[in-house]
Amino acid sequence: MANSSQDKLQRRGLMFVLSSPSGAGKTTIARKLLAADPGIGMSVSVTTRPMRPGEVEGKDYHFTDRTSFDRMVEEGEFLEWAEVFGNCYGTPKAQIKAGLKAGQDFLFDIDWQGTQQLYQRMEVDVVRVFLLPPSIEELEHRLRSRGTDSEEVIAGRMARARAEISHWDGYDYVVVNDDIDACFAKVHGILQAERLSRTRQTGLVDFVRAMMR
Ligand code: 5GP
């Protein structure tokens, strides 16, 4: 499709946060969004955890050691960071700020706590979307069908899922994921509408001024 006049207008990028309990389809929706929309890219975090086979430095994560990570924390180089299962993860400020200014949108696959931190720091640049499963029974069914986990592991996952769901009201948009394609269309619609927000379209003033001359 040819670029419309509007697509050529300068605009500020946005930070698109997708959260959901595990099993509600967040990873699938995130992948579809990245594949369908060249204007949005994944935010690449810094982590102290060892690289897993198949992972690529700079694509999956920026891998570093604890000393460097702590120094980055001290120097305020993260928009948010957290320790998860003994490893540290953080969102580097510099790359995001430069990207936003250049009109690049970033996708964040983070939990409610990371979302809260990000929102406190960046407020107007953040669009928060929460995905809900159609029901608790369906969520449990999806978690069970993943493999041969013990009852204990399933119960732990369900408890974490309930805890995550309890934070649904900290989001701007909530989408129930009954059907992947329908859910994706809604999430993509949110992204497209948010891009058209007047305050993000920094090129509008000049565009309209030229039109009225
Ligand atoms: P993994 O080690 O499996 O890639 O990720 C473990 C956990 O760390 C996941 O729950 C993931 O969402 C979280 N995580 C990854 N990057 C970041 C980040 O930059 N900030 C926060 N708060 N969590 C992250």
Side-chain angles (χ1 to χ4, degrees):
M1 195 169 52
N3 274 358
S4 70
S5 309
Q6 186 142 38
D7 293 335
K8 290 182 207 123
L9 281 186
Q10 195 178 9
R11 71 171 179 89
R12 184 165 169 79
L14 55 85
M15 305 167 83
F16 201 72
V17 174
L18 260 188
S19 301
S20 81
S22 146
K26 178 178 61 171
T27 311
T28 309
I29 297 292
R31 277 203 202 111
K32 281 173 87 77
L33 204 56
L34 291 170
D37 196 312
I40 190 163
M42 198 76 199
S43 160
V44 181
S45 300
V46 177
T47 185
T48 61
R49 89 148 157 71
M51 197 187 279
R52 294 184 188 137
E55 285 186 329
V56 178
E57 160 63 34
K59 182 169 174 284
D60 298 287
Y61 285 104
H62 299 289
F63 296 91
T64 189
D65 57 31
R66 187 66 194 245
T67 311
S68 310
F69 193 94
D70 289 346
R71 185 191 49 75
M72 289 181 78
V73 170
E74 233 159 75
E75 292 179 6
E77 289 182 29
F78 292 122
L79 284 176
E80 63 80 40
W81 68 275
E83 191 162 345
V84 185
F85 303 125
N87 295 307
C88 294
Y89 299 84
T91 303
K93 190 157 69 182
Q95 83 187 29
I96 302 284
K97 288 211 159 170
L100 291 179
K101 210 171 159 201
Q104 163 78 41
D105 301 320
F106 292 97
L107 179 61
F108 291 81
D109 170 349
I110 53 177
D111 67 2
W112 72 272
Q113 278 171 312
T115 306
Q116 231 172 25
Q117 280 191 62
L118 211 57
Y119 186 71
Q120 279 161 7
R121 298 290 296 274
M122 303 294 283
E123 251 176 69
V124 297
D125 291 319
V126 182
V127 176
R128 300 163 295 179
V129 182
F130 194 77
L131 304 183
L132 279 174
S135 67
I136 274 291
E137 291 76 21
E138 176 60 23
L139 187 74
E140 184 163 351
H141 171 72
R142 289 183 195 169
L143 284 180
R144 281 184 187 281
S145 63
R146 278 185 175 184
T148 53
D149 296 317
S150 66
E151 283 304 312
E152 205 183 329
V153 169
I154 300 273
R157 289 219 184 115
M158 286 306 293
R160 274 201 299 282
R162 283 177 183 277
E164 189 71 23
I165 290 172
S166 72
H167 296 286
W168 68 276
D169 58 353
Y171 288 78
D172 305 303
Y173 297 90
V174 179
V175 180
V176 177
N177 186 8
D178 286 298
D179 172 272
I180 272 290
D181 291 328
C183 177
F184 169 70
K186 288 173 189 166
V187 171
H188 199 191
I190 295 166
L191 172 64
Q192 287 165 323
E194 286 285 347
R195 284 174 174 160
L196 297 180
S197 129
R198 175 173 53 78
T199 51
R200 289 204 174 93
Q201 297 192 76
T202 46
L204 267 183
V205 171
D206 289 341
F207 181 71
V208 176
R209 204 174 272 156
M211 185 183 288
M212 304 299 261
R213 237 191 320 254

